[in-house]
Amino acid sequence: MSDQLRPRSNGAQNLKTVARHGRLKKSNAAVTVAKFLAGSLAVVLVSGFSVAAIATYDVAVSVQPSVHLANESNGPVPSIGAIDGGVNMLIVGSDSRVGQDAAFGPEDSTGDLNDVTMLLHISEDHSNASVISFPRDLYVPIPSCPDPEGGSFPAMSSQKINTTLTYGGLACTVLTVEKLTGLSIPFAAEAQFSGVMAMSSAVGGVPVCVAERIEDEYTGIMLNPGEHMLEGYDALQFLRTRHGLGDGSDLTRINNQQLFMSSLVRTIQSADTLSDPAKVYGLAKAVVGNMRLSDSLNSVTTLASIAIALKDIDLNQVVFAQVPTGSVAGGVKASQPAFNDLFEAVAADEPLALSGTTGSGTVADPNAPVEAAPAPAATTDPSVAADPAVTEAPVATEAPGAVLSKSVTGQTAGDYTCTNGRLLSEQG
């Protein structure tokens, strides 16, 4: 962990998850082992895709109603395959302090705002996936939402998207994004601070690259240029910082979050993690109690099937994108027609190809590993070797899919980027 981070309380440094053990009924060993393996598979595969997807599985594990089913002691071991077709899942990060460590302030110090709102889309053929971020200050129409205490809230023509969680809970955020994008979103999950901390610690830290020094008095992040291994509280504060990078906006914070998620994906998919049972198990238990799931996700089988759909997707086919926006008083609005074009491509299940930059919050990593070019195919035909006019047939390449507007910033999970920090003297 970097020594450039501002000291904080011991309570924040030593957050731990606690496993509670109850008396379990005896069960058939084969069925029990199969269920545990299915669960572990879900953790590895889902966590190999995104921060929020790790948290999704972990909450189901905390509930565990199906892990202890031993009624089918003489029956066949259930098989779990990839989910049929594509997937749309909304993942939100709440800034609520309820149930969180005291380091974040009193429970009543904030409301319940969805400061992170991301749409996960997996293609019908499971060949590609995307995670699309919506800025918290994006003005959107909010439809009529059900009131958890009965009745419904009236629709509103223009409010910031991060108020939807306060307005009508996770269900309201889903309805709002559905109306905004024209997509059907059957799955949703809500994560909180402690889950991010536990996940980064479970893998032994996440490497992040800093291009220009980060100085942020609000989060206590002070990082010099270079690579830093972040975990726990430090990783969370890195994800929360905005004053110390780019132009200080939430838009550049999203760039930074995409950098972190991409690095976490690569860390989890590395042999050092996947070959370490303790780390795999740690990921499974990392954020127990830090997620709320839609009923549609509250099943180990469902989560495992979504995870299996992700397992063979190449990192370069996992696209992190931020919706295109333009500035308005007090926030941002969708930039058309690029905004609609993006979601028309998602609705048509087209692979997304970025044509813009990673955003002003990050820059390309000059020290990124370079893949070696494949060696030319050998030939034993002397006539081919002797004739300079004879060339190899061009290799067919797949179409890039929907090439997005340059106003759509982002990166793939395979891209290496560095945070573009800024100093206190530049913050005004």
Side-chain angles (χ1 to χ4, degrees):
M1 187 177 299
S2 172
D3 59 3
Q4 297 294 323
L5 292 154
R6 187 181 297 265
R8 65 266 177 204
S9 67
N10 290 333
Q13 287 178 319
N14 298 312
L15 275 182
K16 297 179 180 178
T17 54
V18 180
R20 294 177 173 85
H21 303 277
R23 187 178 298 277
L24 306 180
K25 294 180 181 180
K26 294 182 180 180
S27 62
N28 177 274
V31 175
T32 301
V33 169
K35 289 174 181 175
F36 177 78
L37 291 177
S40 297
L41 177 64
V43 174
V44 172
L45 300 180
V46 176
S47 65
F49 176 70
S50 76
V51 173
I54 297 174
T56 299
Y57 173 75
D58 288 342
V59 155
V61 173
S62 72
V63 179
Q64 301 240 5
S66 55
V67 171
H68 307 311
L69 290 179
N71 301 338
E72 303 175 26
S73 57
N74 296 319
V77 174
S79 61
I80 299 176
I83 194 168
D84 291 334
V87 173
N88 286 331
M89 181 192 303
L90 195 70
I91 305 159
V92 305
S94 169
D95 72 347
S96 173
R97 270 59 169 176
V98 176
Q100 301 297 293
D101 190 87
F104 302 120
E107 290 193 351
D108 61 356
S109 61
T110 66
D112 191 8
L113 302 173
N114 46 302
D115 271 357
V116 175
T117 303
M118 300 185 297
L119 175 67
L120 161 64
H121 173 75
I122 305 173
S123 66
E124 290 278 342
D125 63 1
H126 306 161
S127 67
N128 61 85
S130 55
V131 179
I132 302 171
S133 295
F134 300 82
R136 67 177 189 181
D137 295 328
L138 176 66
Y139 281 103
V140 298
I142 300 177
S144 176
C145 291
D147 184 341
E149 297 181 0
S152 61
F153 295 108
M156 293 184 285
S157 61
S158 182
Q159 294 289 334
K160 289 184 178 180
I161 195 170
N162 75 332
T163 63
T164 56
L165 204 58
T166 300
Y167 186 56
L170 184 60
C172 190
T173 307
V174 171
L175 285 172
T176 300
V177 176
E178 286 184 329
K179 179 178 178 64
L180 187 65
T181 64
L183 301 171
S184 174
I185 304 173
F187 304 108
E190 178 186 344
Q192 292 182 307
F193 290 155
S194 298
V196 176
M197 296 169 60
M199 286 184 285
S200 60
S201 295
V203 297
V206 177
V208 299
C209 169
V210 176
E212 302 290 339
R213 178 171 166 80
I214 301 173
E215 295 184 351
D216 187 349
E217 291 183 325
Y218 293 88
T219 59
I221 290 288
M222 304 286 176
L223 291 175
N224 285 325
E227 183 174 284
H228 302 266
M229 187 70 71
L230 303 182
E231 63 177 289
Y233 184 81
D234 297 333
L236 176 66
Q237 297 301 78
F238 179 81
L239 285 167
R240 294 178 66 202
T241 187
R242 67 177 177 86
H243 297 279
L245 52 90
D247 59 11
S249 70
D250 184 52
L251 304 183
T252 52
R253 172 163 56 184
I254 290 175
N255 304 154
N256 205 45
Q257 290 168 348
Q258 293 173 340
L259 173 158
F260 184 91
M261 287 190 290
S262 296
S263 183
L264 178 60
V265 168
R266 295 191 296 268
T267 299
I268 293 173
Q269 289 196 347
S270 70
D272 288 343
T273 299
L274 296 182
S275 63
D276 188 334
K279 288 184 178 180
V280 173
Y281 181 75
L283 283 169
K285 304 301 291 183
V287 291
V288 169
N290 290 289
M291 285 290 295
R292 285 187 283 182
L293 300 176
S294 60
D295 291 341
S296 56
L297 273 181
N298 198 20
S299 162
V300 171
T301 301
T302 300
L303 289 158
S305 68
I306 293 174
I308 293 170
L310 292 164
K311 73 182 181 70
D312 292 325
I313 299 180
D314 184 88
L315 291 179
N316 292 316
Q317 297 302 314
V318 177
V319 175
F320 293 96
Q322 181 176 170
V323 298
T325 57
S327 297
V328 295
V332 296
K333 66 176 181 179
S335 178
Q336 300 293 1
F339 187 94
N340 285 346
D341 290 345
L342 167 61
F343 291 105
E344 286 177 3
V346 174
D349 207 42
E350 296 184 76
L352 303 183
L354 297 164
S355 66
T357 69
T358 62
S360 62
T362 56
V363 296
D365 184 351
N367 299 313
V370 178
E371 294 185 5
T379 178
T380 56
D381 186 344
S383 64
V384 173
D387 187 354
V390 177
T391 59
E392 294 183 12
V395 178
T397 58
E398 293 185 5
V403 179
L404 302 176
S405 164
K406 291 184 181 296
S407 61
V408 179
T409 61
Q411 66 174 85
T412 72
D415 291 332
Y416 287 73
T417 53
C418 300
T419 298
N420 185 20
R422 69 172 185 165
L423 307 175
L424 293 174
S425 60
E426 300 172 315
Q427 298 174 26

